[in-house]
Each structure stands twice: as C-alpha cells, then as structure tokens.
C-alpha cells in the first residue's frame, strides 16, 4: 500500500491500512459512505473549505494550542524534558472539536440537515453539540447509560447546547453500545443525517478523515518544537481509546524514523484481571463498527466488555491505522492502570496547576515511568488531549472523598 | 445454473404458483434444545426457507427484538460450533428445506473463513447472509463461499441505486434479499406499492428470485408481499413470539415451540389465502 519510504500514504483505495480498515457496513449505508468519501476528497482541494477550516480553528477553537514546557514535572521526574501539547485549552476543552469543525463543514457541503454522534466521556458529544449550535443543526448524541452517570457535567453541557442526549441501555452501556445505536439511527435516517464519528475508527473514510482533521495537532507541534528546541522531539506520547488524539499527534511524524512513538492504552484494573480496554496489548484482529482492527473478544468472536476509569478509553476496539502501526512496529503500544492514571492526575494538578482529563492522565503516567531514566536533553512531547473538570466526580469517588454534589 | 436446495425450492414455488415464506430465528434462542425443536418443526408449519441467525454480541443492523434474541442465545451458551451442529441435526431429517445462515462477519472471521466454509458446507448450509459484508468486501467471504458451492446472498436496499445494483448483483447467488425500508429489523414497514416498484426494478436487473424483508409482521402482510415478490421474510415478529414464551427465569415455557410454530402456520396461511383468491 504505502511506498517503501513513507508510513503516511495509507489508506489504500479500499480503505485499508495493511489488512486493517475497510468498509464493513450494511448495504443501506454503503452508497452514503461512498458519497461521503467523494465529498471528503473534493474538500481537500477546495480553497474555500480550507479557508473555512482555518477561520473556525483560529478564531473559534483558539488554535494553535500552546506547546508548554512542564518545568516542574520535568524537575520532579529528574530526566527528560517534558512538553505538553495543550489540547485542553481548545474551546470545549479537548482535541475533539478539531474533528467536529471539519465534519460539520462536510455535512453542510453535503446538504445534510441532522447530526448524530456517539460519545463516551462526553467530550466528543459536547464538541458535536457545540458545532451543531454554531451551525444551527439539530443534534442527537448517543451515550451509554453508565457513562451518563459518570460524566454528568458533560451531559448537562450537551443539553444546554441544545442537543438531545439519548441514553443507551444495551450491552455494556458504554461507548461501544453508543456506537451501535448511532449506526442504527444512521441506517434509519440515511437521507438527511450526517454521523459525526468522534475517533479514527468506523468504515472508510472515517479513520482517514478524522486523522486528517486531527493532524493539525502534530503539524503545530513540528513548528512549535522547532521554535522552542530548534529540533524535533525524541519521543511522542499520547493516550488511546479509539486513538484520534494519538493519531493527530503521530501522523505528521511517522516518517521521522528517529522519533520514538508511544501510545498508551487503558489497562483498567490490570491486564491480568481481564478488566481493561487494552485492545492492542491483549486483543486480537476482528471486524466491528465498519472496520477490521484489534478487538477485545472471546474465541467465538463475541465482543467483550472493556473497562477503564476513563470513559473516553472504555472501548473494546481501536482505530485500524493504529492496528497497522502496531503490527509493523512503527509505534509502540503500552498500557497504564486506573490507579497509575489517578496518581498522574493528582501529580499534574499539584505540580503544574493543570487538571488533565483522566484519558490524558494515562499518557502522563507513562511519561512518569520513562522520563526519570532518560537524559536531560531528551525531549518528550505529550498530548494533553483534554481538561479534567469532567472527571472530578470520578476522581473524588476513587479517592473515597465526597464531591458534594450527590 | 447449478441445482441447489435454494434454486430447487424457488422452482417448486414457481410451479405451485405462489410466493414463499422465509422465517428467521436466532440459533440457540433461548437454548440449544428448544431452538433445535423449533427449527425441526418449521418446514411442516409452512416455512419454505429457513434463515438461522448466528448470534452476535453487537448486531448493529437489528432492532431490539433480534438484539435480545442474540443476547439470550449467547447467554444460553450458543456459539458458532453449536449453530453448525444445529444445522447438521436438522439435515439428518430434512434434505430439502434450504437453510441460510444470517448474521455478522466477526464470528465467522474469528472461526476462520476457510474452516467455516468447509464446516458449514459439510453441515448442510445452503446460503449465507452477512449483513456487514457489502460487495466492496466480497473477497472476504463471498468469493470463497461461492467457489465452495454456498450461495452468498446480497442485501439490496432502497438506497441501492441502479448504477450500484449491477455491482451488488454481479456475484449474487441463490436469491436477492431486498431490505424494504431504510432502517433496522422489526421496526417500520414499507407500503405494498413501494415494494412492488422495488421488485420491478430488481427484476429488470436480475433473473434471481427476490425475497423481501424488514417490517413484515402479519399473515396479511406476508400474503401481500408474497404476491408481489418471490418470497416474504419474517424475523422479528417470530422472535417476539419466542420472547413472549420465555419465563422470568429466562427459560422457555412449555408452550414456546407450539406457539412459534402456530404463528408460522398463520403466516403460511396468509400466502395460501392469496393463492386461493
């Protein structure tokens, strides 16, 4: 698929990254997915589309997001120099909005009049509800009933923004089931509805499209780190559930062979307990939600429930491009437990005055493991993908403290 | 064309001058033994072709009825090995009624495509409907299954336009399944005039028989669809009868099989009524 000297050419015309990806959807959706691919391809060369993207990303989202040298964390760990890419400073508080701006512009281009989305932590749901308010389009967000409970602030934000949040009580009542229900809505309302998928998964062209909309993260880092260090970083670290913030940071650097690329999965209560969301570390190849990728499943091909304290990582699959990067060894995939993420959450809050999302805290926790043993001139860029205000209740409960809003 | 149970069945239906009844139920719902007893009773009750669902944890194109059926079957210990066992057990008494396995690709992929084709063929499976394998993914299962003599049945939908139809039908075998609404199973129903128009369009592109499904619930609907198309498919409505005969303990009540087969007889009578008219 890719020419020998680039890792950035995928997917191929069938939407594959190696054997991963593809278009495993019902016939009813197939014509629409082909239409979407065409609209996406056309948008890439349309200067007006690019100008709209630029305008909204600069003036509405607030890009570029800062690249911040976390001096106190660096000093505390005593090794590598740690930079945070501050996606938490974006409007709505996470990287998710980058993709939503891109997809809502495509939806408008295609003449769609109704938007649906799935959400886990609620960050993608909030970002989708936000752009729907901005573009005056009705919005339905599917969210697992379990996630609605643990992410109450985001649920209320979505409602304030005018979205209808539909609880999903099927299956594990989390992100996987929200995706199933969103796909059921889409196949029913195929004429007027645009499905804004929040991560680099789903049928082609979603993995490539979401990656392209998120790649602004890595593109900015390239410029910002040159300005700060006059060289490229040595290591990139990001958390992965579906993998969109990681892909956004990694993709512009895939061909810089000297850069170590590390993605951090959620090990939940520990891989050995079986209660985790580490599809690459502990899963196998399968087909779900429109693509072939690594999945958590049993030996009969039934999808098993994922677990993570972080709702945004609580998904039994992963974007297909990550599966490919894993197999060819271009990126390494490690995992961090709930407890390690909580420790990183607390440490970052106290040392830097930055409350990270529990998702991003997984990436920080891995940096805490590797930074002390690295030389002081080693540069790590960590994607601080979102802010942690939404997680305060979860953290309080995990700490045995009262949040005072029950 | 090679003679298969499916082609022979549609031929005999044509000779009888009536449309066929296709029934869907999920293998192992709510347990293996009850499900097998139901399966064995279907032909005598009036099912001309049997669709047997391969349970999957995440049935994305199905409504609540078939979602629940899938979960009940999995809870009852059903898996792909048992589903193929069930077909084999059915075939020991019935060598004529076509069985089409229907479901999603992942359980087949994890079983192993080559092993699945070999075992399904040996068990007596005649056709496959795999919801999440459109023609774009035909290399995954359609082409190898067809080569092994199992009919791969493609779904067509109201969104499948004329240009696309030829691509969908290029490797279609057995019959064409027309999904008469945009949506999931067990919800809305299409009007007879929409179905008639769609069948006319399909027939202008293919000589294969056309079966129409989604939203067909009553003997009257079966009668009207079977008068237009070559067969009518009933799934969720039958699955609902199964669900209504499951106790609070999740186990089948004594009357489940009779109730389900009684419903199938009523559906079959819906077709006979139109023939007599």
């Amino acid at each position: 698929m890719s020419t020998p000297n680039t890792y950035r050419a995928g997917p191929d015309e069938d939407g594959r990254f190696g054997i991963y990806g593809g278009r495993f959807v019902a016939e009813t959706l197939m014509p629409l997915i082909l239409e979407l691919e065409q609209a996406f391809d056309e948008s890439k060369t349309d200067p007006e589309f690019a100008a709209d993207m630029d305008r909204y990303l600069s003036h509405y989202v607030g890009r570029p997001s800062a690249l911040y040298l976390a001096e106190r964390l660096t000093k505390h760990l005593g090794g590598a120099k740690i930079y945070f890419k501050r996606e938490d400073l974006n409007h709505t508080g996470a990287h998710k909005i980058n993709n939503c701006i891109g997809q809502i512009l495509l939806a408008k281009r295609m003449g769609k009049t109704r938007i649906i989305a799935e959400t886990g932590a609620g960050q993608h749901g909030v970002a989708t509800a936000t752009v729907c308010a901005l573009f005056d389009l009705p919005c339905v967000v599917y969210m697992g009933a379990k996630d609605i409970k643990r992410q109450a602030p985001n649920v209320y934000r979505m409602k304030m923004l005018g979205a209808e949040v539909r609880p999903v009580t099927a299956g594990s009542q989390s992100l996987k089931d929200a995706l199933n229900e969103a796909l059921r809505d889409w196949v029913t309302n195929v004429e007027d509805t645009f499905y804004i998928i929040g991560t680099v998964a789903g049928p082609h062209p979603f993995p490539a499209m979401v990656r392209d909309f998120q790649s602004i993260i890595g593109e900015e880092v390239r410029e910002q780190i040159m300005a700060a260090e006059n060289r490229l970083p040595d290591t990139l670290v990001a958390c992965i559930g579906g993998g969109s913030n990681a892909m956004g940071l990694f993709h512009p650097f895939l061909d810089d062979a000297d850069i170590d690329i590390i993605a951090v999965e959620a090990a939940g209560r520990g891989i050995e307990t079986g209660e985790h969301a580490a599809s690459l570390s502990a899963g196998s190849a399968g087909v779900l939600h429109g693509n072939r990728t690594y999945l958590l499943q049993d030996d009969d091909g039934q999808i098993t429930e994922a677990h993570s304290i972080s709702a945004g990582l609580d998904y039994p699959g992963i974007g297909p491009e990550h599966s490919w990067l894993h197999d060819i060894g271009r990126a390494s995939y490690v995992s961090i437990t709930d407890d390690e993420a909580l420790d990183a959450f607390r440490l970052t809050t106290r040392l830097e005055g930055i409350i990270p999302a529990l998702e991003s805290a997984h990436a920080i926790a891995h940096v805490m493991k590797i930074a002390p043993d690295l030389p002081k001139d080693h540069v790590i860029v960590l994607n601080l993908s979102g802010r942690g205000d939404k997680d305060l209740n979860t953290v309080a409960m995990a700490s045995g403290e009262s949040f005072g809003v029950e | 064309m090679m003679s298969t149970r499916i082609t022979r069945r549609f031929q005999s239906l044509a000779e009888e001058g009536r449309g066929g009844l296709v029934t869907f139920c999920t293998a192992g719902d709510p347990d293996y033994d009850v499900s097998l007893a139901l399966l064995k009773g279907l032909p005598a009750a009036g099912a001309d072709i049997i669709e047997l669902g391969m349970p999957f944890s995440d049935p994305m194109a199905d409504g609540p009825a078939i979602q629940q059926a899938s979960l009940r079957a999995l809870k009852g210990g059903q898996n792909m090995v048992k589903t193929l066992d069930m077909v084999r057990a059915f075939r020991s008494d019935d060598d004529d009624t076509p069985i089409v396995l229907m479901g999603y690709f992942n359980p087949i992929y994890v079983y192993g495509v080559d092993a699945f084709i070999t075992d399904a063929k040996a068990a007596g499976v005649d056709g496959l409907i795999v919801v999440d394998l459109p023609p774009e993914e035909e290399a995954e299962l359609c082409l190898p299954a067809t080569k092994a003599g199992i009919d791969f049945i493609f779904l067509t939908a109201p969104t499948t336009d004329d240009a696309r139809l030829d691509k969908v039908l290029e490797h279609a075998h057995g019959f064409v399944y027309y999904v008469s609404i945009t949506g999931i199973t067990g919800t809305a129903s299409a009007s007879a005039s929409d179905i008639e128009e769609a069948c006319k369009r399909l027939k202008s592109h293919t000589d294969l028989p056309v079966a129409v499904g989604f939203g067909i619930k009553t003997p009257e609907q079966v009668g009207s669809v079977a008068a237009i198309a070559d067969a009518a498919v009933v799934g969720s409505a039958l699955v609902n009868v199964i669900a209504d005969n499951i106790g609070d303990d999740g186990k089948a009540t004594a009357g489940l099989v009779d109730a389900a087969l009684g419903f199938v007889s009523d559906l079959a009578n819906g077709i006979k009524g139109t023939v007599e008219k």
Side-chain angles (χ1 to χ4, degrees), chain A residues 248-271:
Chain A
L249 175 63
F250 298 167
H251 196 257
F253 294 99
L254 288 178
D255 289 336
D256 298 286
D258 295 338
I259 299 181
D260 200 12
I261 295 178
I262 306 171
V264 185
E265 297 190 292
R269 301 197 172 93
I271 302 270

Side-chain angles (χ1 to χ4, degrees), chain B:
Chain B
M1 188 188 290
M2 199 168 52
S3 171
T4 65
R5 286 191 196 94
I6 294 176
T7 56
R8 287 195 294 273
R9 179 52 50 100
F10 276 107
Q11 219 158 13
S12 68
L13 286 169
E15 284 159 14
E16 286 176 49
R18 67 175 178 95
L21 172 64
V22 182
T23 59
F24 171 93
C25 56
T26 299
D29 174 23
D31 65 58
Y32 183 91
D33 292 337
V34 170
S35 186
L36 180 59
L38 172 58
L39 186 65
K40 287 189 168 186
L42 285 171
D48 296 302
I49 295 176
I50 295 170
E51 284 180 14
L52 188 61
M54 301 172 279
F56 182 47
S57 54
D58 293 79
M60 286 152 297
D62 285 298
I66 294 177
Q67 288 175 43
Q68 291 304 320
S70 237
L71 294 179
R72 285 194 299 268
L74 292 173
K75 213 174 162 192
Q78 191 70 13
N79 58 29
M80 189 64 88
V81 173
K82 288 186 181 176
T83 299
L84 295 175
D85 282 348
M86 202 174 262
V87 176
R88 199 173 302 115
F90 175 86
R91 272 283 165 260
S92 63
D93 309 331
D94 185 324
D95 197 31
D96 298 320
T97 309
I99 290 200
V100 175
L101 291 183
M102 182 166 188
Y104 297 81
F105 186 44
N106 197 51
I108 297 171
Y109 180 71
V110 170
Y111 191 96
V113 166
D114 292 342
F116 173 79
I117 290 170
T118 305
D119 294 353
K121 182 79 189 162
V125 170
D126 304 290
L128 296 173
I129 301 176
V130 184
V131 177
D132 51 355
L133 286 180
E136 279 72 8
E137 302 293 350
E138 66 185 11
E140 297 284 337
L141 181 63
C142 165
L143 299 182
T146 304
K147 210 172 151 194
I150 298 178
D151 287 336
F152 194 91
I153 293 144
F154 278 104
L155 303 172
T156 57
T159 52
T160 313
D161 62 21
D162 283 341
R164 188 169 165 76
L165 206 46
D166 290 326
K167 182 182 173 70
V168 175
L169 294 171
E170 192 186 346
H171 295 290
H173 288 86
F175 60 93
V176 176
Y177 189 127
Y178 180 64
V179 176
S180 58
I181 55 153
T182 58
I184 53 178
T185 54
T187 55
S189 309
S191 69
S193 63
D194 281 354
I195 292 175
E196 193 159 8
E197 203 170 306
C199 286
K200 221 179 273 171
R201 187 164 75 93
L202 285 167
K203 290 286 187 184
S204 71
H205 286 261
T206 181
D207 295 329
L208 288 172
V210 175
V212 175
F214 281 48
I216 303 174
K217 297 162 187 166
T218 65
E220 293 70 31
Q221 284 174 307
V222 167
S224 98
V225 172
I228 301 166
D230 298 293
V233 187
V234 178
S236 297
L238 174 57
V239 166
N240 281 334
V241 175
I242 295 173
D244 289 344
N245 285 275
I246 291 174
D248 293 338
D249 57 357
K251 295 197 166 63
T253 58
L256 186 150
V257 173
D258 286 346
L261 293 177
F263 180 66
V264 171
S265 296
D266 292 346
L267 296 173
N269 287 333
I271 295 178
K272 289 189 189 117
T274 61
V275 174
E276 279 156 19
K277 255 186 256 169

